[in-house]
Amino acid sequence: MTKHRLSAALAVLLAAGTAHAQDTRKVTEPAPPPSCTVLTAALVDATTNDTARIQAAIDHCPAGRAVRLSGNNEKQRFVSGPLNLRSGVSLLVDAGATLQASGNPKLYDRGAGTCGTVDKLGRGCKPFITIDGAKGSGIYGEGAIDGQGGRVVDGGAESWWQLARRAQKEDARQNVPRLIEITNASDITLHKITLRNSPNFHVTLNRVDGFTAWGVRIDTPATARNTDGIDPISSRNITIAYSHIRTGDDNVAVKAGNNGPTENVSIVHNRFYSGHGMSIGSETNGGVRRVLVDDLSMDGTTSGLRIKSDVSRGGVVDQVSYRNVCLRDVKTPIDISTRYTKDAEGTQVPVFTNIAFDDVHSVSPGRVVVQGYDEQRPVQATLHDVSISGKAERKIEFARLSGEAIGASDSSNCATRFAPFPESAAASTRPQLTLDQARQFSYGEVLKYVGVAGKETIDPWDPLNDPLAKGAAFTPDYIVDKAAKADGARTFNTVQEAVSRAVADSKTRRVYILLKPGVYPELVYIPASAAPITMYGEGKDAAATRITAKLEASMTGAAYDALYGPQFAKAAPAVQAMYATIKDRAQIGTFGTQTVWTQNNGFQARNLTFENGYNKDTGNARAEELPNINNVHHQALALSVDSADKAQFENIRLIGFQDTLYLKSPQIGSTVRSFFNKSYIEGDVDFIFGDSTAYFYQSEIRTLGDRGVSYTAAPNTYLKTKYGFVFDNCRFTHEGKKNGDFYLLRQWFASSRCTPYAPLALDGYSCTYGPTNGYKAPTGTVARVSLEAVGKMVVLNSRIGAHINRQHPWADWNKPGAISFRPAQYNSDDHWNNLIKAGIDPVKDLGYTKQPSPADVFLGEFNNSDE
């Protein structure tokens, strides 16, 4: 096929397609109907159920009016079970209001008791909103309808999305509700509404004549299975316009099943993001005809312009016109296949004819698939002004293509057509990883890198395959038993004595220290010079063997020496050296408070509790809160993993309040690895912090609740370090008090003395880039070391407790107006842009060569469920 001028015949064909391949109605922007009643949202708790009052309002509303839902507080929401919209009655959701689908499967059950389960049938759930047999109804407003697809279903252990993934693995079907289902209806409208987190398809139309979606936002993670955006099925006169759609399956899928054809469809002036593309099919047996796709940008979808079917459900797709389409980062910009399911059986052969591509451009490389059924039934398509940047991989068979060849260079204006998804405040603060991104945070991938940032050594490490994780029985080299008679050689009454002996014995192989059940009130320091040490308890659980102390950051070095000097007087020299770094300080500070301090490469611990008991008898409440439980609260570490690589912890308990666990790299820009499995970590503020790489697996992270503001983690990961903290299959829980503000993280603005990121209410204030961190009112400098301590954390496949701020789980470092403020930075683009806004040039001042592309992930979530 050679490129030539557009023939007269082709010009006529395109003109004809333009005239007829569209909605036959004259469609303009809808206007919301007047309200018949206004309902106000209430503060949501576990018992909230607004179903009855919303449905009653709908049932009593006259035709031509709308039930208006009003709310302006993120903690005020409507929570409802299934709702039915009557003919002529609409729902109006105000800006700031959210209608939230209940997570109770029983409310959606169709009678078989299967909703919320996986079986071979599926379809056991009613939709959240049903519009059946109605005319002139709609959903309007700039508020949101939230299907809570990522929330753990009531009485279950999985979210709706996790049920869908399990069904996929088990070759079964999930019983989960759709968000909006419109059936046997006419003149239905969606206007400006935000639909998010649907458990399944967002909007389906079946036997509908006249449907308009205008200015709609659909926003669901790319990883949420079977969450199509809008699916017109066996329907006619459809317009989808000026909408923004990102989801986990087809952005739009035009289908036609046993109920008849789908025809006269206009999909115009839309923007698609993550998803499977602008699809027709896979059900086409009813016939699809007269479809216009015009002025569409697609940014990051898997497929672009897609027609898919097979012999089990195939039919005629005819008169489809694609024009003025821009694509970027789309794997298969043109994807037409009559063999969608390879092993499909049947006699309903797909036939695709009169397909026109005009002014279609991909600014990035991608595949072209055009696959007809056979020589007698080829794909028939015309192409004019079509280009795919670079060398396109092509699979073209049984295709009759006319017009112009697909170009390799882009002469369009597409580069200016890709706008960011119009984030709501809620959506922008919960960045979701794509499936490809999530794979980069798998256990094996994260733990194989060590050393200098950007020049890491690849050193695969599989701690789950270690005897420690497999529960192996060890033969101890040393035994610690408070009740035994110590011999100073193999049996000891304190843990530190056993460690000192292990260091003195200078073994080269791994050393095993068994701790008999009991409470050991002491400090334990394990130096780098020791052979790898495994310390383990033999009690019935980790709580049976506890090492505990009560150091806190304001304690003087003299008081520390008085308490613990005798313990270290006869310790091994390497242990005494660790002790000596603390005893002469005016105050011991945060990094002198640890109960257990290990610098030992390959250190292991199993079935033990490490506790800093400071304030454990009274609580750690903020001084300004009443009643004042305790007016003093300081940092108090239970465990410090200091420059130790391959530190492994199995079934341990870390007990503390502020700064429970500290994970330190040997130096800035170089990292080591720690692994925590089946463990429990508690605290109230920044209680998991540091700059090394750490993987937390199958563990409980519990927030204690007597502080007004709480942050689980405070990483200060170096900018170029590949990974910070990763939590996989963890549970973020709470002890029960829920009066404070709780967050997953704030990124530690380490060592800073002033902020360049926001002004202070101080005449002459400035904070500029400088060689050191310093501040003398009203001016100061911020050093590179602080700017590049960005903090990285990803949470995967985990269960996030209801105490965590649902809309804003990732917090700023202090508040704007504070001298140490820094905004949360989700990726390297944020870091780069924040520097520029602060007057710091990344290239001239910091010597960066260019902005990373694609952006490096700093914060992210994948496949989590919310309680």
Side-chain angles (χ1 to χ4, degrees), residues 185-255:
S186 60
D187 298 328
I188 306 300
T189 300
L190 303 182
H191 182 238
K192 288 193 174 181
I193 193 72
T194 292
L195 308 176
R196 60 177 180 240
N197 301 327
S198 178
N200 193 252
F201 297 164
H202 287 78
V203 183
T204 61
L205 322 172
N206 213 315
R207 303 191 309 277
V208 173
D209 187 351
F211 169 82
T212 302
W214 189 293
V216 172
R217 287 192 300 186
I218 294 178
D219 188 11
T220 288
T223 54
R225 183 172 180 252
N226 295 146
T227 53
D228 288 20
I230 303 177
D231 288 5
I233 309 165
S234 298
S235 297
R236 63 193 305 271
N237 294 322
I238 309 297
T239 290
I240 302 169
Y242 298 100
S243 294
H244 296 76
I245 303 175
R246 62 181 179 188
T247 187
D249 210 309
D250 294 319
N251 301 76
V252 168
V254 179
K255 306 176 184 181

Side-chain angles (χ1 to χ4, degrees), residues 98 133 190 352 397 505 530 642 739 753:
T98 298
L190 303 182
F352 304 156
E397 59 183 14
D505 286 348
D642 179 2
N739 296 324
R753 296 292 177 267

Side-chain angles (χ1 to χ4, degrees), residues 7-28:
S7 68
L10 177 57
V12 170
L13 175 62
L14 290 174
T18 300
H20 300 292
Q22 60 187 28
D23 192 336
T24 61
R25 302 173 300 158
K26 183 178 180 180
V27 179
T28 58

Side-chain angles (χ1 to χ4, degrees), residues 118-421:
V118 170
D119 60 21
K120 293 298 182 182
L121 298 176
R123 304 205 174 204
C125 303
K126 303 173 187 175
F128 178 48
I129 297 177
T130 296
I131 305 176
D132 188 7
K135 180 178 181 179
S137 304
I139 302 174
Y140 299 80
E142 298 187 38
I145 299 176
D146 191 333
Q148 297 205 91
R151 180 184 181 272
V152 175
V153 299
D154 295 354
E158 299 170 291
S159 69
W160 296 118
W161 295 336
Q162 289 168 331
L163 279 167
R165 284 294 171 201
R166 179 157 64 85
Q168 183 182 36
K169 292 177 182 177
E170 297 175 3
D171 192 24
R173 299 195 177 196
Q174 68 272 23
N175 290 284
V176 300
R178 294 174 175 176
L179 198 65
I180 301 172
E181 190 172 276
I182 307 168
T183 307
N184 193 28
S186 60
D187 298 328
I188 306 300
T189 300
L190 303 182
H191 182 238
K192 288 193 174 181
I193 193 72
T194 292
L195 308 176
R196 60 177 180 240
N197 301 327
S198 178
N200 193 252
F201 297 164
H202 287 78
V203 183
T204 61
L205 322 172
N206 213 315
R207 303 191 309 277
V208 173
D209 187 351
F211 169 82
T212 302
W214 189 293
V216 172
R217 287 192 300 186
I218 294 178
D219 188 11
T220 288
T223 54
R225 183 172 180 252
N226 295 146
T227 53
D228 288 20
I230 303 177
D231 288 5
I233 309 165
S234 298
S235 297
R236 63 193 305 271
N237 294 322
I238 309 297
T239 290
I240 302 169
Y242 298 100
S243 294
H244 296 76
I245 303 175
R246 62 181 179 188
T247 187
D249 210 309
D250 294 319
N251 301 76
V252 168
V254 179
K255 306 176 184 181
N258 296 329
N259 290 318
T262 294
E263 57 190 1
N264 305 334
V265 179
S266 295
I267 300 168
V268 294
H269 313 301
N270 296 291
R271 304 292 175 258
F272 294 172
Y273 303 84
S274 61
H276 293 182
M278 174 58 246
S279 298
I280 297 175
S282 55
E283 301 97 318
T284 60
N285 50 295
V288 176
R289 52 183 177 254
R290 296 189 292 277
V291 177
L292 170 66
V293 177
D294 187 15
D295 183 22
L296 172 65
S297 73
M298 309 176 75
D299 194 359
T301 58
T302 53
S303 291
L305 304 175
R306 187 181 197 190
I307 307 176
K308 54 181 178 176
S309 197
D310 58 48
V311 293
S312 70
R313 50 198 152 179
V316 175
V317 176
D318 183 51
Q319 299 176 64
V320 178
S321 178
Y322 301 108
R323 66 189 189 200
N324 191 18
V325 178
C326 293
L327 306 101
R328 180 172 70 178
D329 294 333
V330 175
K331 293 179 180 178
T332 312
I334 297 175
D335 190 356
I336 301 176
S337 176
T338 57
R339 302 180 187 275
Y340 175 58
T341 304
K342 293 181 180 179
D343 57 354
E345 297 180 354
T347 59
Q348 301 180 93
V349 176
V351 178
F352 304 156
T353 61
N354 294 318
I355 315 298
F357 297 87
D358 182 22
D359 193 16
V360 173
H361 304 277
S362 175
V363 301
S364 54
R367 300 174 68 228
V368 173
V369 174
V370 182
Q371 184 183 37
Y373 189 75
D374 55 22
E375 290 285 0
Q376 289 72 40
R377 287 156 290 196
V379 172
Q380 297 180 21
T382 58
L383 299 97
H384 167 61
D385 193 18
V386 177
S387 69
I388 297 176
S389 179
K391 186 177 180 180
E393 177 189 346
R394 301 186 185 188
K395 183 178 182 180
I396 299 176
E397 59 183 14
F398 305 129
R400 190 174 300 160
L401 307 182
S402 60
E404 303 172 355
I406 298 174
S409 59
D410 176 25
S411 59
S412 71
N413 65 347
C414 281
T416 63
R417 294 262 304 276
F418 300 103
F421 188 90

Side-chain angles (χ1 to χ4, degrees), residues 321-605:
S321 178
Y322 301 108
R323 66 189 189 200
N324 191 18
V325 178
C326 293
L327 306 101
R328 180 172 70 178
D329 294 333
V330 175
K331 293 179 180 178
T332 312
I334 297 175
D335 190 356
I336 301 176
S337 176
T338 57
R339 302 180 187 275
Y340 175 58
T341 304
K342 293 181 180 179
D343 57 354
E345 297 180 354
T347 59
Q348 301 180 93
V349 176
V351 178
F352 304 156
T353 61
N354 294 318
I355 315 298
F357 297 87
D358 182 22
D359 193 16
V360 173
H361 304 277
S362 175
V363 301
S364 54
R367 300 174 68 228
V368 173
V369 174
V370 182
Q371 184 183 37
Y373 189 75
D374 55 22
E375 290 285 0
Q376 289 72 40
R377 287 156 290 196
V379 172
Q380 297 180 21
T382 58
L383 299 97
H384 167 61
D385 193 18
V386 177
S387 69
I388 297 176
S389 179
K391 186 177 180 180
E393 177 189 346
R394 301 186 185 188
K395 183 178 182 180
I396 299 176
E397 59 183 14
F398 305 129
R400 190 174 300 160
L401 307 182
S402 60
E404 303 172 355
I406 298 174
S409 59
D410 176 25
S411 59
S412 71
N413 65 347
C414 281
T416 63
R417 294 262 304 276
F418 300 103
F421 188 90
E423 304 276 10
S424 65
S428 65
T429 56
R430 294 199 69 169
Q432 302 293 320
L433 303 182
T434 65
L435 184 58
D436 286 342
Q437 286 175 319
R439 290 191 181 107
Q440 299 305 308
F441 291 88
S442 66
Y443 154 82
E445 184 68 18
V446 171
L447 292 179
K448 75 180 183 183
Y449 297 98
V450 66
V452 178
K455 300 178 182 178
E456 293 89 354
T457 299
I458 295 180
D459 176 26
W461 178 37
D462 185 6
L464 287 176
N465 200 38
D466 190 280
L468 188 84
K470 292 184 174 182
F474 303 125
T475 300
D477 297 286
Y478 310 98
I479 298 173
V480 182
D481 186 348
K482 289 182 63 175
K485 183 177 180 180
D487 61 15
R490 188 168 185 269
T491 304
F492 303 87
N493 296 135
T494 73
V495 183
Q496 188 64 72
E497 287 172 335
V499 171
S500 287
R501 182 68 195 197
V503 174
D505 286 348
S506 301
K507 296 181 184 294
T508 55
R509 61 169 177 81
R510 178 170 291 280
V511 173
Y512 295 90
I513 302 177
L514 168 62
L515 278 63
K516 294 287 186 177
V519 178
Y520 295 89
E522 57 175 300
L523 303 178
V524 177
Y525 295 172
I526 305 106
S529 59
I533 288 177
T534 296
M535 189 182 294
Y536 64 104
E538 65 173 9
K540 64 177 182 178
D541 55 32
T545 309
R546 176 162 53 104
I547 302 172
T548 183
K550 290 187 176 182
L551 297 180
E552 51 90 9
S554 68
M555 177 180 282
T556 65
Y560 164 84
D561 187 41
L563 282 172
Y564 293 102
Q567 174 185 323
F568 292 103
K570 295 182 181 180
V575 174
Q576 287 184 335
M578 296 171 73
Y579 164 74
T581 63
I582 300 173
K583 70 180 182 68
D584 293 327
R585 300 177 188 175
Q587 291 185 329
I588 64 173
T590 303
F591 308 113
T593 65
Q594 54 267 359
T595 299
V596 177
W597 180 9
T598 181
Q599 298 177 335
N600 181 234
N601 285 329
F603 177 76
Q604 295 179 333

